[in-house]
Amino acid sequence: MEDTHRLVSGLEGKIVVACFASLSHTLFPQALASVHASFPNIQVALRDGNGVQVLDAVLMREVEFGLTTISGPTSELVSEEIGQDRYMLVCSRKHKLARRKSISWRELSQHRVVSFNPNGSSRRQIDPILQSERIPLPWFHEVDQLSSMIGYLEQGDFIAVIPSLMGALTQNNICIPLEDPAIHRTIALVRRRDTSLTNAGQALWNELKTAASVRTRDHKRAP
């Protein structure tokens, strides 16, 4: 009876969550560490992938909820925006652009920039905005995976555009705000409308909201 009570109350068991790959490196570990203080015996299985994969996992009931950058409620999903993440230029501290306080997208087009795959969420968001402003796309090299992007940046000779929350993954580099226009991605939590979160799932949902709020607020304050 005691074991059954602990499972029903959410004190023990396992929850499965889907997470956008870059956020699984930043927001998710911080939130999970906080949840473990209240639910030390809950196991969490993380399924990381791109935005479409996260939404599909939620829709197919493979996960309890998802953390992603593709938001907007649908007939089947509830979406809650938890933060705005600005795109930044990342370069070595020794790069000639490193002393800049900011840089415009038009000026950036004069440089050779590493980007993610054109079919990825960041390019599908950024490219139409720059094209509508008649700003040349700055992309030169392309990568598919976050690990490849980090490898390029750690080498020191390359510059890239990444969301600000990913800046923590490139500690040997500097992040410079991009402007004219400033472009942000929306971070959102999504779940099915016809399901309720478990106690532990709700706690993790709330901690992710808090982590996103703190991180995005700190980046806004940064010079």
Side-chain angles (χ1 to χ4, degrees), residues 44-60:
V44 176
L46 178 63
R47 306 285 185 258
D48 52 355
N50 60 39
V52 174
Q53 290 170 331
V54 171
L55 290 183
D56 285 346
V58 176
L59 285 168
M60 297 299 292

Side-chain angles (χ1 to χ4, degrees), residues 102-160:
S102 64
I103 185 170
S104 71
W105 284 98
R106 192 171 299 279
E107 184 178 354
L108 187 64
S109 67
Q110 302 170 18
H111 300 269
R112 293 181 170 183
V113 181
V114 182
S115 80
F116 286 109
N117 187 298
N119 294 320
S121 61
S122 60
R123 286 285 300 276
R124 285 190 284 113
Q125 178 185 6
I126 293 171
D127 288 8
I129 295 175
L130 297 185
Q131 290 166 343
S132 70
E133 299 282 340
R134 297 184 177 180
I135 298 173
L137 300 180
W139 320 125
F140 190 76
H141 300 293
E142 294 176 359
V143 299
D144 283 334
Q145 302 296 328
L146 176 59
S147 57
S148 300
M149 178 69 80
I150 293 173
Y152 273 62
L153 292 171
E154 288 182 345
Q155 198 279 336
D157 293 330
F158 298 95
I159 63 174

Side-chain angles (χ1 to χ4, degrees), residues 202-222:
Q202 185 66 62
L204 182 55
W205 177 290
N206 293 340
E207 287 296 340
L208 285 166
K209 288 170 57 177
T210 299
S213 175
V214 171
R215 286 290 190 97
T216 54
R217 183 185 66 221
D218 289 347
H219 282 289
K220 287 179 181 178
R221 290 176 175 174

